[in-house]
Amino acid sequence: MTRLLLPILTAILVLPPALLSAQAEVVSSTSGMVVSTSGIASDIGAAILSKGGNAIDAAVATGFALAVTHPSAGNIGGGGFMVIRLADGKATTIDYREKAPLRSTRTMYLGEDGEIDRSLTASGWLAPGVPGTVRGLALAHRRYGKLSWKDVVDPAAQLATNGFPLSEALAASLNGALRRQLGRFPSSVAAYGKAGGGEWNAGDTLRLTDLGRALSAMAADPNAFYTGWIADSLAAQMKANGGIITRKDLAAYRAVERAPVRGTFLGHEIISMPPPSSGGVLLIQTLNMLEQLDVPNRSPGSADYLHLRLETARRAYLDRAKHLGDPDFVKVPVARLTSKAYAATLARAIDLARASSSVALGKGIVTDTGEPKETTHFSVVDAAGNAVANTYTLEGGYGSGVVVRGAGFLLNNEMGDFNKKPGETNTRGDIGTAANLIAPGKRMLSSMTPAIVTRGGKLRLVTGSPGGRTIPNTVINVVLGVAAFGLDARAAVDLPRLHHQWLPDAATFEPGVATDSVMANLRSRGHTILVGGRQGDAHSIVYDASTGTAYGAADRRTPDSKASPGR
Ligand code: DON
């Protein structure tokens, strides 16, 4: 049945020219695949596969390389989530989300007038959570890697020290960041500014000497970051600049291995990230609703399909605001939210003809779409069929803008992902519900959704994306493309995306989601829809287990992305 939809799909799946760049083809290989937003980083990961490393080794090497080549989001000063599925079927996750410093307080981002002071979470020394990336990658490697730690960290250390040529996109990104958040901090200008001043150009060599030294120290001993000279340096600079992360915070940080959240969708199994990310729960809860609403038999360009996408998203995001937070601090009803029975109750209440009111559904709770646009996802499969979906972030592009002098890395501004004003959920986009309030040592709620899909116990899809609260909707789009509409990797990644997050009660559509007449139909049902922009950056791998072939599709929405095959 779903095959009948393909002609309709091909007609509407035309990405506007502005969205097209980078590698347009699907790359196939039976020797594994790495797909990331940076060609240099994908190549480093693929070289680890060719050297005999497994998917986890390649993911760790790619993660460290992105900290060099994609400084707006690739990081060692931030945090993230890794979903691992081994070829024998075992699945697990690594939670390396940042934590609130021990000296943090519930109201630390409120000004004297009692209102949220956004400048405090946007950038600077009070914005970072305690970084988790290095302990996270080290934990993944220690439990599941094959090559030596040095083998997987060294390529990034060498890249930072020797330098690499800037692409046009990275030169422009750095110039912009130096004019804005990096420019406010002398240590950041010293690390990322052009020697002698002036603008970066494509082809210039970017050398990150201090970062190279820090990475080399970590290649010898990952604890250098948490208990060694890097920790000393970070803590001293925090103290001198009014920040609150201490040596004690760093020494106490631990990444955690957690059981994944699991669901089913049209005969596929969905494996994704549990809290403290909201991503996996949103993904499964929404797919459960869509399954019951007969979505695979609806054309993705039709008004009925799009209406159901918006109505299911509205409901899942309301539950996110109500219930989700760090499971080490609050009780999150994961089993109920991801159950088929709960989805049936929600799906039954959807009016097929009319948009529902988010305010009425949420009984007075309100939020907004304003998420900064940086995070990065990469997907890895090795020749044996082990798979890694990894999404990590500094939160905003270039995080807090603060580089730790001498160690050359950027600190995140992840504290802004907490609910900052207890009790107040308002139309300006602030959520004040209890589950995600700040507490010392607590992890802030995320939307990152690294996901692995299997069918009949065999690997089928590895995906994920940046995009703040749009992330679960982007991942849902890719999963629907593959699991409901039978698209190949390229078409599933290209499939135009949409977003609704309950409140504000407005959807955003990429160009190409709907025709003018379908837009008019949706508006007549009561939907507010804005069209434009691009959503996410979902570097994905579709896997054919019958031949052991990985099909890597870099997301053409970003210019430097690449699928690199193992050899
Ligand atoms: O954890 C989260 O959900 C956010 N800090 C992610 C930020 C993000 O994706 C921005 N990027 N495009």
Side-chain angles (χ1 to χ4, degrees):
M1 180 64 189
T2 57
R3 303 281 152 183
L4 295 178
L5 295 171
L6 280 177
I8 312 167
L9 275 169
T10 341
I12 61 156
L13 299 185
V14 186
L15 276 178
L19 297 184
L20 298 181
S21 54
Q23 204 181 30
E25 76 270 27
V26 173
V27 177
S28 67
S29 167
T30 52
S31 305
M33 183 73 59
V34 180
V35 197
S36 86
T37 203
S38 152
I40 300 173
S42 297
D43 287 346
I44 283 182
I48 290 289
L49 293 178
S50 304
K51 198 175 169 176
N54 65 13
I56 293 83
D57 294 317
V60 172
T62 306
F64 279 113
L66 283 165
V68 180
T69 61
H70 188 60
S72 62
N75 69 80
I76 55 174
F81 302 110
M82 183 183 286
V83 177
I84 299 172
R85 182 181 183 276
L86 301 176
D88 66 6
K90 175 188 159 88
T92 187
T93 76
I94 306 291
D95 167 2
Y96 58 98
R97 182 70 161 167
E98 300 91 326
K99 284 184 168 204
L102 296 170
R103 286 176 49 206
S104 60
T105 67
R106 231 172 217 223
T107 52
M108 64 188 279
Y109 296 116
L110 300 186
E112 278 175 12
D113 58 359
E115 296 305 317
I116 297 170
D117 182 347
R118 287 168 214 285
S119 68
L120 297 177
T121 53
S123 68
W125 295 89
L126 263 187
V130 182
T133 297
V134 177
R135 285 235 149 112
L137 296 182
L139 178 62
H141 175 265
R142 192 166 64 247
R143 300 233 168 120
Y144 300 103
K146 214 168 111 187
L147 299 183
S148 76
W149 172 250
K150 190 167 163 21
D151 275 342
V152 295
V153 186
D154 255 353
Q158 281 170 29
L159 188 66
T161 306
N162 299 334
F164 63 97
L166 291 179
S167 67
E168 200 176 319
L170 182 51
S173 166
L174 282 174
N175 290 334
L178 285 160
R179 278 194 295 274
R180 294 188 293 273
Q181 67 273 48
L182 295 182
R184 291 180 47 213
F185 304 100
S187 57
S188 308
V189 175
Y192 284 102
K194 192 166 173 168
E199 300 249 297
W200 288 107
N201 296 305
D204 288 349
T205 298
L206 179 65
R207 271 190 201 85
L208 299 164
T209 319
D210 287 346
L211 180 60
R213 189 177 324 121
L215 287 166
S216 297
M218 282 183 277
D221 176 9
N223 290 320
F225 191 94
Y226 291 94
T227 54
W229 68 265
I230 299 172
D232 290 340
S233 188
L234 197 168
Q237 290 174 57
M238 274 278 159
K239 193 165 177 197
N241 291 285
I244 58 170
I245 296 179
T246 62
R247 235 178 157 285
K248 196 168 162 199
D249 280 306
L250 291 161
Y253 184 88
R254 295 282 179 278
V256 208
E257 185 168 1
R258 298 186 192 274
V261 280
R262 290 170 184 271
T264 60
F265 178 65
L266 300 173
H268 295 74
E269 191 189 21
I270 314 292
I271 302 164
S272 189
M273 201 62 218
S277 185
S278 60
V281 171
L282 272 167
L283 172 65
I284 291 166
Q285 187 180 346
T286 308
L287 290 174
N288 280 343
M289 282 186 266
L290 292 172
E291 191 177 56
Q292 310 208 14
L293 292 161
D294 197 27
V295 149
N297 290 321
R298 300 175 192 270
S299 157
S302 69
D304 284 350
Y305 166 84
L306 294 168
H307 176 74
L308 292 175
R309 287 290 307 275
L310 300 181
E311 291 304 303
T312 50
R314 186 196 305 283
R315 284 159 176 80
Y317 276 82
L318 167 58
D319 278 335
R320 174 191 192 274
K322 277 185 180 166
H323 299 294
L324 296 192
D326 182 347
D328 292 345
F329 284 72
V330 293
K331 202 165 158 33
V332 185
V334 173
R336 183 169 72 86
L337 294 176
T338 57
S339 72
K340 298 278 185 199
Y342 180 58
T345 311
L346 292 178
R348 266 199 302 277
I350 292 175
D351 181 339
L352 292 177
R354 289 293 305 166
S356 32
S357 153
S358 286
V359 172
L361 275 181
K363 294 195 176 69
I365 308 176
V366 183
T367 181
D368 83 359
T369 58
E371 293 279 345
K373 296 278 177 260
E374 278 301 344
T375 290
T376 193
H377 173 83
F378 56 90
S379 297
V380 183
V381 168
D382 66 21
N386 300 300
V388 173
N390 188 94
T391 315
Y392 74 157
T393 187
L394 291 166
E395 162 54 10
Y398 299 89
S400 64
V402 172
V403 165
V404 176
R405 193 181 285 283
F409 67 90
L410 277 157
L411 284 166
N412 67 84
N413 64 329
E414 216 76 59
M415 289 293 283
D417 276 359
F418 276 117
N419 296 351
K420 293 173 279 292
K421 190 170 178 191
E424 184 170 312
T425 303
N426 62 34
T427 46
R428 293 179 53 219
D430 308 304
I431 301 177
T433 48
N436 187 35
L437 293 175
I438 304 173
K442 187 175 176 182
R443 290 173 153 98
M444 58 294 285
L445 183 64
S446 174
S447 300
M448 291 188 280
T449 315
I452 295 178
V453 177
T454 63
R455 173 156 221 186
K458 303 268 199 301
L459 182 63
R460 183 72 188 125
L461 171 69
V462 187
T463 191
S465 176
R469 260 178 272 181
T470 65
I471 295 171
N473 283 324
T474 297
V475 173
I476 288 163
N477 226 60
V478 178
V479 172
L480 285 168
V482 172
F485 303 128
L487 300 181
D488 67 15
R490 171 51 55 210
V493 171
D494 282 355
L495 185 63
R497 297 172 186 154
L498 57 86
H499 178 62
H500 194 297
Q501 58 173 43
W502 169 54
L503 283 164
D505 195 346
T508 50
F509 282 10
E510 283 186 335
V513 166
T515 60
D516 289 350
S517 66
V518 167
M519 291 296 281
N521 180 316
L522 289 167
R523 287 182 172 130
S524 75
R525 296 187 198 203
H527 293 288
T528 302
I529 302 165
L530 310 168
V531 179
R534 60 178 172 84
Q535 181 180 316
D537 188 23
H539 306 297
S540 306
I541 298 173
V542 170
Y543 190 74
D544 180 350
S546 67
T547 58
T549 308
Y551 296 90
D555 195 327
R556 294 191 276 173
R557 291 166 182 79
T558 47
D560 295 338
S561 53
K562 186 178 175 199
S564 298
R567 294 196 199 282

